[in-house]
Amino acid sequence: MDVNAAVAAAAAIAGVLTGVIAMLAFRWSERDQNRPTRTSLHTDPVLPPGVDTVLSVLRSSAVVLDEADGVVKASSAAYALGLVRGGKLAVEPMLQMARDTRRDGEIRQVELDLPRRGTGRGEALAVSARVAPLGSRLVLLLVEDLTEARRIEAVRRDFVANVSHELKTPVGALSLLSEAVMDAADDPEAVERFAGRMQIEATRLTNLVQELIDLSRVQNDDPLDDAEPVRVDELVAEAIDRCRQAAGTKQITMAAGGTADLHVRGNRGQLAAALGNLVENAVNYSPARTRVGIAARRVNAPGGDLIEIAVTDQGIGISERDKERVFERFYRVDPARSRATGGTGLGLAIVKHVAASHGGEVTVWSAEGQGSTFTLRMPESGPSRDRAPQRPDHTGLSDETERSPSSPQTSPYETLPAPEVLP
């Protein structure tokens, strides 16, 4: 009897112990499940209230880092710049700034040059990075792309330097020539020679100032504010008349043709200046007894018909390297020839801005030793969208013109229909 009682007591004690152990194990497991782990702290952190909304409207690239340098939040711009890769901040100087700020809480800012992704040309992105603490354990990185601002500043700096140089040249020449005139007061022939040079330099200075004014005007004014339909034929005729004397001196034949009765909409003065600059360049850079062709045509385009005005010459041509820069301000393919012709280096820059402000563009085709074709392309505008009639077709110049462009019986401004337009 006593043995049975002892066995029963032992079984009861064992059952109680088993229940206690099971309960303790359950509580321990439940506490482990509810305890935040190191991994959960890094993968699912909580941003302070409102930070996510603020980051979404910032123009700067934004990255939020946790205490283990993991990326908690990154804007799409940050990925586009290549700042974040594989969930990590990929720019070591910025990562070191974040660690220093996390350690001492100080705000840091630095400008860096980052390699541009995907170009293969070694170009760099100029950025400004600013790091600040965000709460007790997060760090905020803001990155501003300064590449375009740097480019504009470089263009402005070069422009000021070029203007200073271009203005100093004729002004200095006028000063020296005036001194020479004073010293040669008793020599009428020398006075006349120096006075002639002074007139040339004064004309060059006047042209430079006027083109600077024109360039400033086309950059700042909206030509569509006072836009009107402009006949292309009239623009071509005005451009030919503008270069009549220079072409006659070099015995250059100017041929106009293409589709008649075309219209573009815009500022007549700016359009005339742009086309006039193209024709003037063609004449200046063409050898004597050659031809300059001006052709207009309509081109079908998805957004509406375009008008192309092509100016073709048989001049020295432009190299591949120079073709990328001919529309820059003050850039000259042949500086010596520009000095001889009085060019300022602003003509093609004006053409580019006029074309862009009228919703168009200007392009160039050229081969060294074969000539060049500059094409001004703008949206069509006119009373009728129907195809305009073509001028009567001819195969070339008249016999007299072919025989000798300098012949007194032939005008060097023979109007030709549809001269060939290079691509």
Side-chain angles (χ1 to χ4, degrees), residues 72-232:
V72 176
K73 178 75 175 178
S75 64
S76 57
Y79 286 99
L81 287 178
L83 304 179
V84 179
R85 301 175 191 171
K88 295 290 184 179
L89 185 62
V91 184
E92 184 60 32
M94 297 181 185
L95 189 59
Q96 186 59 47
M97 287 174 58
R99 292 168 180 169
D100 295 341
T101 297
R102 186 184 302 111
R103 184 182 65 252
D104 55 26
E106 292 186 4
I107 298 175
R108 288 175 168 82
Q109 184 169 353
V110 68
E111 292 188 2
L112 301 170
D113 291 332
L114 305 179
R116 190 188 297 269
R117 300 179 61 189
T119 62
R121 294 182 294 177
E123 296 180 352
L125 286 172
V127 299
S128 174
R130 185 178 179 87
V131 180
L134 185 64
S136 59
R137 58 186 184 84
L138 300 180
V139 173
L140 173 63
L141 170 66
L142 296 177
V143 179
E144 188 78 21
D145 188 355
L146 304 178
T147 307
E148 184 64 16
R150 288 261 187 98
R151 187 192 67 81
I152 293 175
E153 180 60 30
V155 170
R156 183 182 294 110
R157 186 168 54 250
D158 292 343
F159 178 72
V160 172
N162 287 329
V163 167
S164 301
H165 173 74
E166 296 293 338
L167 288 174
K168 284 171 62 178
T169 300
V171 169
L174 287 172
S175 177
L176 292 175
L177 288 169
S178 64
E179 293 179 3
V181 169
M182 293 177 63
D183 294 339
D186 298 333
D187 188 350
E189 293 184 0
V191 170
E192 184 178 358
R193 184 172 66 255
F194 291 143
R197 288 296 307 169
M198 291 179 67
Q199 287 183 339
I200 293 174
E201 296 300 332
T203 301
R204 178 174 298 178
L205 182 60
T206 301
N207 292 338
L208 176 59
V209 172
Q210 184 58 52
E211 291 202 347
L212 285 172
I213 294 172
D214 293 341
L215 180 60
S216 176
R217 182 178 295 116
V218 300
Q219 285 180 319
N220 298 326
D221 294 349
D222 185 358
L224 301 183
D225 287 344
D226 54 352
E228 59 177 333
V230 181
R231 287 177 56 91
V232 175

